[in-house]
Amino acid sequence: MSRPETRMWFFYLASRYIDIGCEAIHFGQVEIMNTNDRQNRHWAELLALVRAHAGEHARRKMVVCDGHVPSGGLMHQGNPLLEFHSFPLRI
């Protein structure tokens, strides 16, 4: 997530989903894509852009963001970045 091209790609995909009516986006293995951004600054930037786009284009003016977070979640400056966390059930 530390490369601008990566953030641009994720924003493009998220904005397309929002534009067709999706109200929740699962961002996948967010912690695995985070090895060069230990402060989560780039994730915070991306999610702010996605939420701003939703504020203008989403039907309810919001989007719910989640991702896989096996170690407890993405935090930036003491604040959680995702609305909820997902992890697959493994029996």
Side-chain angles (χ1 to χ4, degrees), residues 8-88:
M8 288 170 57
W9 177 246
F10 272 76
F11 175 73
Y12 170 76
L13 292 175
S15 65
R16 297 298 294 161
Y17 280 120
I18 290 166
D19 291 347
I20 64 168
C22 293
E23 297 180 323
I25 299 174
H26 176 80
F27 284 88
Q29 298 279 353
V30 294
E31 289 183 349
I32 291 174
M33 296 182 279
N34 201 37
T35 56
N36 294 327
D37 184 23
R38 291 295 172 198
Q39 306 301 316
N40 297 320
R41 182 174 54 91
H42 296 113
W43 270 111
E45 176 186 312
L46 169 68
L47 293 171
L49 289 172
V50 169
R51 290 183 179 115
H53 183 81
E56 293 181 22
H57 300 280
R59 182 168 59 101
R60 295 182 185 158
K61 308 301 180 203
M62 54 137 342
V63 64
V64 176
C65 303
D66 86 297
H68 291 289
V69 287
S71 70
L74 294 181
M75 302 287 283
H76 179 66
Q77 297 179 343
N79 297 310
L81 294 178
L82 302 171
E83 278 72 43
F84 67 97
H85 302 138
S86 299
F87 201 73

